[in-house]
Amino acid sequence: MHPRSWIDNLVNVISLGSVSLVQFWLGLILIIIFSVHLGLLPTGGFGTWQHFILPALTLAARPLGRISQVVRSAMLDELSKPYISAARAKGVPEWRVVFVHALKNASIPIATCRWCRRVSVWWPRWSSS
C-alpha cells in the first residue's frame, strides 16, 4: 500500500464519488449504461437474478465507499507505527506484515464503521456518512 500512488488516488476518487453521489441518480445512470446502451441487464421487473444486480449495485455504492475510506485510513495509520517498521526490519515478508499484523489491528475501526452502518438502519440520525 503506497500512499499517493495512482492506484491510491483512483480508489480515493471512486470512494469519494460513491459516497457523494445521490443514489437515485446513480441508479438512473447505471440503467442507462448497462440496460439501454449495453443491453446487458433488464431495466426493471423481478423474477431472475439479473433483476437484482442494478438495485444491489446502487444501494451498495455508498456503504462500500465509506468502508473503503475507513479501511484506507486505518491501514495507513497502522502501517506507520513502529511495530510495523520492526517487523519489516526483522525480514518478515510484506504480505505477512500487511495482512497479519496491520490488517488485524486496523480491523477495529473497520468493525466500528460496519456497526454504525447497521445501527443507522434502525436510527438514521446515527448515520456515519
Side-chain angles (χ1 to χ4, degrees), residues 60-75:
R62 181 170 287 163
L64 285 178
R66 181 68 183 137
I67 289 170
S68 69
Q69 289 175 339
V70 170
V71 167
R72 178 189 179 274
S73 174
M75 284 298 289

Side-chain angles (χ1 to χ4, degrees), residues 40-115:
L40 297 174
L41 298 168
T43 57
F46 60 93
T48 65
W49 62 272
Q50 293 175 338
H51 291 92
F52 292 106
I53 293 174
L54 288 178
L57 286 175
T58 302
L59 293 175
R62 181 170 287 163
L64 285 178
R66 181 68 183 137
I67 289 170
S68 69
Q69 289 175 339
V70 170
V71 167
R72 178 189 179 274
S73 174
M75 284 298 289
L76 287 177
D77 185 42
E78 287 299 320
L79 288 173
S80 67
K81 294 205 173 162
Y83 74 92
I84 296 293
S85 299
R88 286 180 175 147
K90 288 180 181 179
V92 177
E94 187 67 21
W95 68 269
R96 188 167 175 88
V97 169
V98 171
F99 289 109
V100 174
H101 298 289
L103 189 59
K104 181 171 65 172
N105 291 324
S107 64
I108 295 169
I110 297 166
T112 304
C113 177
R114 294 278 302 163
W115 177 250

